[in-house]
């Protein structure tokens, strides 16, 4: 807690520098603008609202629950042409095809996941699983992710996430596939299943837990209040969760995200996403080395207006954090589970 040291991340096969004493230094840098608290519940000019007109001219239905539609500005398209052949190994290109969808969590723009009811969060989880099954039938990777807050590049306050399915395994998926495969081969147990059991026993980085899930600030966390959401049972994909596991997932998500908001009494920004075993052609392969998990990467460090910047040393050398994962977990763990609002 007082002296710098490096910690190994077995999931990414890299290291993070922990310099807990740096959080004491005075801050005269950039201050972020707190998120607006006066978001209207319904705005006809907001393209994600029920009944609103989107950029492509389509009108949203008067949806009352979750609502999924094709992204009007997709990063991946199913019919992209093949790139030209390379004339040199230093100038390679590869095909990249896919589909991108947007999923609204709720018809109200002034709600976020921790303020939704458990049945409403469960409906989001079921919609995630349906999309993972539908798109995963043909695409090798289905990335479900939520960017929450303008600080994380979110351009619309309406509660929503994105789902990108790709014809290839992205970098992070390839990396986690390799490290988890190596761990199973070497130790005979899935890495993150063993890790969850260890953290449940040690408890020093535990934030919240229930019968089916636990949330920890991982030993190798990079971002100040980064967390890892893990099932207790060995499960490879989101769509494989049982009914009770989905209910308990809704509960633990609400508890975690309430703590996040309570930390600085602000709608807490983050990027989160699910990682599970690849799909498409991989559905017929042995993927026992995979364990389903969700990453939460929040940028805030000291307050609602002071964020952690990944610049300089982090970009040119290796990741560095300003408080220990144990300190972050203790602070999150001690927060109330009743939302400050």
């Amino acid at each position: 807690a007082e002296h710098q040291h490096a910690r190994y991340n077995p999931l990414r096969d890299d290291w993070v520098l922990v310099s807990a004493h740096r959080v004491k230094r005075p801050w005269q840098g950039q201050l972020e603008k707190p998120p607006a608290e006066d978001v209207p519940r319904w705005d006809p000019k907001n393209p994600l609202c029920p009944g609103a007109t989107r950029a492509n001219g389509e009108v949203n239905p008067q949806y009352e629950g979750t609502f999924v539609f094709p992204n009007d500005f997709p990063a991946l398209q199913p019919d992209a042409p093949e790139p030209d052949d390379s004339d040199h190994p230093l100038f390679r290109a590869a095909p990249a095809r896919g589909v991108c969808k947007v999923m609204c969590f709720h018809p109200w723009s002034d709600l976020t996941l921790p303020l939704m009811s458990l049945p409403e969060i469960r409906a989001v989880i079921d919609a995630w699983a349906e999309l993972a099954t539908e798109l995963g039938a043909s695409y090798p990777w289905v990335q479900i992710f939520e960017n929450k807050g303008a600080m994380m590049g979110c351009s619309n306050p309406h509660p929503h996430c994105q789902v990108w399915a790709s014809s290839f395994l992205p970098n992070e998926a390839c990396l986690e596939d390799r490290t988890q495969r190596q761990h199973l081969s070497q130790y005979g147990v899935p890495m993150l299943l063993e890790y969850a059991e260890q953290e449940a026993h040690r408890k020093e980085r535990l934030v919240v837990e229930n019968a089916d899930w636990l949330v920890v600030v991982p030993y190798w966390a990079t971002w100040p209040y980064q967390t890892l959401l893990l099932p207790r049972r060995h499960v490879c994909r989101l769509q494989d969760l049982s009914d009770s596991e989905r209910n308990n997932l809704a509960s633990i998500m609400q508890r975690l995200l309430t703590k996040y908001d309570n930390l600085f009494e602000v709608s807490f920004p983050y990027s989160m996403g699910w990682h599970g075993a690849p799909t498409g052609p991989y559905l017929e392969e042995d993927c026992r080395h995979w364990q389903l998990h969700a990453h939460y990467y929040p940028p805030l460090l000291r307050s609602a207006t002071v964020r952690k910047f990944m610049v300089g040393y982090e970009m040119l050398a290796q990741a560095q954090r300003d408080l220990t994962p144990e300190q972050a977990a203790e602070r999150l763990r001690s927060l109330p589970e009743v939302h400050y609002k």
Side-chain angles (χ1 to χ4, degrees):
E2 296 297 329
H3 302 285
Q4 68 269 14
H5 59 282
R7 295 192 184 191
Y8 179 64
N9 181 345
L11 194 58
R12 300 197 75 259
D13 189 23
D14 63 9
W15 293 80
V16 57
L17 175 63
V18 182
S19 310
H21 56 284
R22 277 172 52 84
V23 80
K24 300 175 183 177
R25 74 193 192 280
W27 181 258
Q28 295 181 330
Q30 179 172 321
L31 298 180
E32 305 294 335
K33 183 180 179 180
E37 296 282 348
D38 57 348
V39 176
R41 178 153 294 181
W42 182 81
D43 181 355
K45 297 179 181 179
N46 186 329
L48 298 187
C49 281
T53 302
R54 302 204 309 274
N56 64 356
E58 292 191 20
V59 178
N60 296 334
Q62 294 291 342
Y63 65 91
E64 298 180 352
T66 59
F67 170 51
V68 178
F69 62 92
N71 195 315
D72 296 328
F73 303 96
L76 293 165
Q77 296 176 322
D79 53 357
E82 295 270 342
D84 294 335
D85 292 334
S86 172
D87 61 356
H88 193 281
L90 294 178
F91 301 92
R92 291 190 295 169
R97 300 186 180 94
V99 296
C100 298
K101 294 182 180 289
V102 176
M103 188 179 104
C104 295
F105 296 154
H106 196 279
W108 295 355
S109 293
D110 59 342
L111 279 191
T112 55
L113 280 170
L115 296 173
M116 289 165 54
S117 69
L118 289 179
E120 289 169 339
I121 300 173
R122 168 65 195 264
V124 170
I125 294 166
D126 288 340
W128 282 342
E130 289 173 11
L131 282 170
T133 301
E134 172 194 336
L135 298 174
S138 53
Y139 286 102
W141 190 255
V142 180
Q143 184 59 65
I144 299 167
F145 66 97
E146 179 193 5
N147 294 325
K148 179 170 178 261
M151 198 181 301
M152 298 309 295
C154 183
S155 60
N156 193 308
H158 194 93
H160 71 285
C161 72
Q162 297 188 56
V163 184
W164 294 11
S166 61
S167 61
F168 55 90
L169 288 188
N171 293 342
E172 293 297 311
C174 287
L175 184 54
E176 290 193 3
D177 185 72
R178 174 176 64 82
T179 57
Q180 290 181 98
R181 188 185 300 275
Q182 289 174 344
H183 189 94
L184 180 65
S185 176
Q186 185 172 356
Y187 299 105
V189 61
M191 177 198 294
L192 292 181
L193 181 64
E194 181 178 14
Y195 180 67
E197 292 171 350
Q198 285 289 322
E199 290 287 31
H201 172 71
R202 296 170 185 255
K203 297 191 181 302
E204 57 189 330
R205 285 169 295 275
L206 191 66
V207 178
V208 286
E209 64 178 330
N210 61 28
D212 293 311
W213 299 87
L214 69 156
V215 175
V216 301
V217 177
Y219 177 79
W220 52 79
T222 298
W223 293 93
Y225 292 97
Q226 174 181 335
T227 54
L228 185 62
L229 173 57
L230 295 163
R232 295 184 185 272
R233 177 176 70 92
H234 183 206
V235 54
C236 292
R237 299 178 177 93
L238 190 65
Q239 52 268 45
D240 298 333
L241 295 175
S242 68
D243 187 67
S244 63
E245 285 171 330
R246 294 186 187 197
N247 285 334
N248 279 330
L249 175 56
S251 173
I252 206 164
M253 283 174 56
Q254 186 185 63
R255 294 169 63 195
L256 168 65
L257 298 180
T258 296
K259 284 179 177 288
Y260 268 164
D261 282 7
N262 286 344
L263 179 60
F264 298 130
E265 294 196 349
V266 69
S267 185
F268 206 69
Y270 58 74
S271 282
M272 72 80 65
W274 285 99
H275 282 175
T279 49
Y282 295 91
L283 291 170
E284 304 301 321
E285 296 189 7
D286 183 359
C287 291
R288 288 176 299 159
H289 54 290
W290 270 91
Q291 173 73 329
L292 176 69
H293 59 283
H295 296 282
Y296 284 84
Y297 298 130
L300 292 178
L301 173 59
R302 299 166 181 242
S303 69
T305 61
V306 178
R307 66 178 298 177
K308 166 68 177 180
F309 287 92
M310 291 292 179
V311 295
Y313 189 87
E314 290 91 349
M315 295 176 71
L316 298 165
Q318 71 179 37
Q320 179 268 334
R321 61 179 291 118
D322 299 300
L323 74 166
T324 68
E326 294 75 27
Q327 291 168 332
E330 182 179 11
R331 187 164 183 189
L332 289 173
R333 189 168 54 242
S334 66
L335 291 167
E337 296 186 8
V338 175
H339 200 277
Y340 76 92
K341 285 190 173 181

